[in-house]
Amino acid sequence: MTELPSLRESLEAHGLMAKKSFGQHFLLDLNITRKIVRLGGPFAGDVVIEVGPGPGGLTRALLETEAKSVIAIEMDPRFIDLLGELNGVYGERFEVINGDALKVDEAASLAERNLSPGAHIVSNLPYNVGTPLLIKWLTGPWQPLSMTLMFQLEVALRVVAPVGDKDYGRLGVISQVLCDCEKIMDLPARAFTPPPKVDSAVVKLTPKTQRPSAAIIKNLEKVTAAAFGQRRKMLRASLKPLGGEALLETAGITPTERAEQVSPADFLRLAELL
Ligand code: SAM
């Protein structure tokens, strides 16, 4: 088996530096990437899609597991040759696609490769596209088996915030209606090269077995947008265009409550009644 150079050596050999425009902050310590993978797993026998492998620290940790295969989607073409070196060690278990993860059709990519339709997502997400990617995987037609995602701390806290918490909002409600959500690791800014301005955290999201229909998910997006768009207002006012007091009473929710007092389960009930 070919020995891989260290991640720093690989970056140097390919003359690569982090680019701000791609949100690049690298994890070059394999102890950290192995820990993320251990806490996010198990992946044995399954396909893992990694978004934004960069120099490949998380990718290496994923390939060390018994995952059936790892498909990485990297937008920055400068990294494709460097990542190709992983094939020397891991052969066809690894493939890198040069593209924008926001535009990739995961179901089609898996089918084209004759792989099972289910796959886990693991990513140290570029900060600028972290939330849109999460929304895509939560609400889109293709559903991951699990998601292990690094976010800036503020976003991670919003995903897991309980009802009544200052960080509780739309992202938390949608995430928690559709998935079990857990913050599994905190990482200080200094763990990254170059360090970002803020700390980060890893969240694991496991889709619930009972998934609401696409129409109810759409309604959930609608009702949370209305409720949290005017979060200081009482629900009977903010939800007026959607049915106001009558809707709330049918759902068994006090019309004078505000959005942050309504649990994910109650938002789901509202979405079902719309
Ligand atoms: N996974 C690497 C690590 O942990 O060291 C790099 C993480 S870095 C925060 C984010 C990576 O995502 C970069 O490699 C960047 O080029 C890539 N990226 C940014 N936007 C992307 C997009 N829309 N689709 C796919 N990759 C993207």
Side-chain angles (χ1 to χ4, degrees):
M1 208 186 241
T2 325
E3 270 286 303
L4 287 167
S6 74
L7 292 161
R8 280 185 200 281
E9 285 166 347
S10 279
L11 282 169
E12 244 169 61
H14 291 263
L16 292 172
M17 304 265 282
K19 256 193 195 172
K20 226 177 167 179
S21 56
F22 283 113
Q24 290 173 348
H25 299 281
F26 303 136
L27 286 171
L28 301 179
D29 181 345
L30 288 176
N31 293 315
I32 294 179
T33 60
R34 285 180 182 132
K35 187 171 174 191
I36 296 170
V37 167
R38 195 174 61 246
L39 295 173
F43 302 117
D46 291 339
V47 178
V48 180
I49 298 178
E50 186 197 352
V51 168
L58 257 180
T59 327
R60 291 187 189 194
L62 286 166
L63 285 162
E64 285 171 4
T65 70
E66 286 172 19
K68 181 183 161 100
S69 58
V70 176
I71 301 174
I73 305 165
E74 174 55 64
M75 194 155 158
D76 185 346
R78 300 179 306 150
F79 285 91
I80 305 303
D81 282 352
L82 178 155
L83 290 162
E85 290 170 4
L86 292 174
N87 294 110
V89 178
Y90 296 103
E92 291 183 359
R93 271 184 72 219
F94 175 66
E95 187 188 342
V96 58
I97 299 172
N98 185 199
D100 179 350
L102 280 167
K103 297 187 183 143
V104 166
D105 177 338
E106 293 87 355
S109 302
L110 292 165
E112 275 162 25
R113 291 165 179 80
N114 291 320
L115 291 167
S116 56
H120 302 271
I121 298 269
V122 177
S123 181
N124 171 13
L125 289 168
Y127 286 161
N128 51 340
V129 289
T131 311
L133 277 169
L134 174 60
I135 294 290
K136 174 190 175 194
W137 295 320
L138 282 171
T139 64
W142 178 77
Q143 208 196 341
L145 297 174
S146 74
M147 294 173 259
T148 300
L149 307 173
M150 174 92 68
F151 291 106
Q152 55 193 108
L153 181 61
E154 180 213 317
V155 177
L157 292 175
R158 282 167 48 209
V159 173
V160 300
V163 59
D165 189 273
K166 69 174 175 33
D167 295 311
Y168 185 67
R170 218 180 153 214
L171 190 63
V173 171
I174 297 174
S175 301
Q176 292 168 40
V177 164
L178 299 170
C179 295
D180 292 321
C181 307
E182 192 189 355
K183 179 157 78 64
I184 56 173
M185 193 172 166
D186 285 292
L187 270 165
R190 66 171 185 281
F192 300 84
T193 306
K197 290 203 178 74
V198 291
D199 292 340
S200 294
V202 182
V203 176
K204 181 169 181 185
L205 299 99
T206 310
K208 299 201 170 157
T209 35
Q210 293 281 34
R211 184 174 169 82
S213 68
I216 291 175
I217 294 175
K218 272 265 152 306
N219 285 347
L220 183 67
E221 293 186 86
K222 215 191 272 177
V223 76
T224 51
F228 286 102
Q230 297 176 291
R231 60 189 299 150
R232 295 258 164 77
K233 285 200 175 165
M234 290 179 194
L235 291 169
R236 68 175 178 213
S238 58
L239 296 189
K240 203 165 196 169
L242 300 176
E245 215 146 321
L247 170 74
L248 289 156
E249 268 161 17
T250 318
I253 298 167
T254 316
T256 50
E257 286 196 340
R258 293 180 169 78
E260 71 254 20
Q261 296 170 281
V262 178
S263 68
D266 279 348
F267 271 113
L268 175 60
R269 204 158 48 249
L270 285 170
E272 286 165 345
L273 288 168
L274 267 195

